């Protein structure tokens, strides 16, 4: 049993196979083709450990593979964290782990889970509160439902891809240019979150989504059944404390245009709102059906300004 060889409380007391070459030098250790096979997980490493401050200069090429990614949950340190994945997916991962001046880096991590491919570059900073840590990632596959358990059937159908950069600064967590796409939609997100996160989340956001069929995004809103329609959504704003400010929220769906601008704030009397909106369509019959009946062939033009809360409010224009 492996726990008789090394002190590791999180490794199950199961049969294992361990082989490779270990070289000892005055200032460190050298590992060559070290392989560990435990409970179906196959781990390999080749590299060196330097007996320097923070193990500076240490580097390993690592590989991890197995026939069932969900089975890694049998390790206590992982537990049920992988329950979201479809069971039975083979996996393989390769990368390079290095101790650098800035911290520990995991470079050129490339892997596959089932039919899903991903790339990852990670820096775990050695500064206070991990300031300076960063993640760059890419993931793509033939369908989210093949990777993750889709219990409610809400995942988009078909191939998808996402990539982006995440950086932890002194007072902000920045998500730069998160790009995502499916067979029928594409989008970009820029997000700046106040850090550390408290009871009231502070954030600035800029989200754009466009596609060929709005039905891919909408939940079931029976008795209304929307027609297939191209769409473009954009929302820009910020939330500081209890104040949410929308600089612009615009949705163009088929021939329907919705625009909202304003502030929403929670105060002693409840949620206070000061906003303006417009809803315009030259012909609502093209939008969908209600109780399987077509909507009337009529124009819609609604514009208003709202100010107040649930107890006292005013509607103008």
């Amino acid at each position: 049993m492996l726990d008789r060889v090394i002190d590791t409380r999180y490794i199950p007391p199961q049969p294992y196979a361990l082989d490779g070459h270990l070289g000892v030098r005055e200032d460190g250790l050298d590992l060559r083709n070290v392989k560990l096979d435990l409970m179906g997980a196959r781990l390999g490493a080749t590299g060196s450990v330097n007996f320097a401050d923070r193990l500076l200069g240490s580097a390993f090429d690592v590989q991890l593979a197995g026939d069932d990614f969900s089975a890694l949950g049998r390790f206590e340190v992982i537990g049920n964290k992988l329950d979201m994945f479809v069971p039975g997916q083979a996996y393989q991962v390769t990368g390079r782990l290095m101790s650098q001046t800035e911290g520990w880096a995991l470079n050129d991590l490339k892997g596959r889970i089932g039919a899903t491919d991903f790339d990852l570059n990670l820096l775990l900073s050695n500064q206070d509160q991990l300031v300076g840590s960063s993640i760059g990632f890419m993931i793509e596959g033939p369908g989210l439902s093949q990777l993750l358990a889709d219990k409610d059937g809400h995942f988009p159908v078909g191939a998808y891809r996402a990539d982006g950069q995440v950086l932890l600064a002194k007072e902000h967590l920045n998500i730069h240019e998160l790009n995502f796409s499916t067979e029928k939609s594409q989008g970009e997100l820029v997000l700046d979150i106040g850090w550390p996160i408290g009871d009231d989340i502070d954030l600035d956001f800029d989200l754009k989504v466009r596609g060929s069929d709005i039905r891919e995004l909408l939940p079931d809103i029976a008795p209304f059944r929307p027609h297939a329609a191209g769409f473009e959504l954009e929302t820009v704003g910020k939330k500081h404390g209890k104040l949410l400010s929308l600089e612009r929220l615009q949705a163009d769906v088929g021939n329907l245009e919705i625009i909202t601008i304003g502030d929403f704030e929670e105060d002693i009397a409840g949620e206070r709102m000061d906003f303006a909106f417009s809803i315009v369509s030259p012909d609502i019959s093209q939008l969908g059906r209600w109780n399987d009946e077509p909507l009337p062939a009529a124009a819609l033009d609604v514009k208003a300004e709202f100010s107040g809360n649930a107890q006292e409010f005013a509607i103008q224009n």
Side-chain angles (χ1 to χ4, degrees), residues 26-157:
E26 184 176 347
D27 58 350
L29 302 173
D30 293 321
L31 290 78
R32 188 170 69 248
N33 295 328
V34 174
K35 299 178 181 179
L36 171 64
D37 193 332
L38 175 64
M39 296 177 60
R42 301 181 293 276
L43 174 66
T46 295
S48 61
V49 179
N50 292 338
F51 295 153
D53 182 36
R54 302 191 309 273
L55 303 180
L56 191 63
S58 300
F60 303 89
D61 291 317
V62 295
Q63 308 89 37
L64 178 64
D67 297 326
D68 185 355
F69 185 65
S70 296
L72 290 173
R74 291 180 290 181
F75 291 88
E76 182 179 345
V77 69
I78 297 175
N80 62 4
K81 296 182 179 65
L82 303 181
D83 288 354
M84 69 181 73
F85 290 89
V86 174
Q89 299 182 86
Y91 62 95
Q92 56 184 13
V93 181
T94 62
R96 185 166 179 81
L97 181 64
M98 306 173 61
S99 176
Q100 303 177 160
T101 304
E102 302 87 352
W104 280 93
L106 186 57
N107 294 331
D108 297 324
L109 182 71
K110 299 181 182 298
R112 166 170 280 213
I113 301 174
T116 300
D117 295 310
F118 61 90
D119 294 346
L120 182 70
N121 285 283
L122 169 68
L123 173 63
L124 192 62
S125 173
N126 53 27
Q127 298 184 49
D128 290 343
Q129 300 181 336
L130 301 179
V131 170
S133 297
S134 63
I135 300 174
F137 68 92
M138 184 284 300
I139 181 170
E140 62 181 350
L144 270 174
S145 59
Q146 297 184 33
L147 176 67
L148 303 176
D150 186 11
K151 298 179 181 179
D152 300 320
H154 290 162
F155 289 158
V157 177

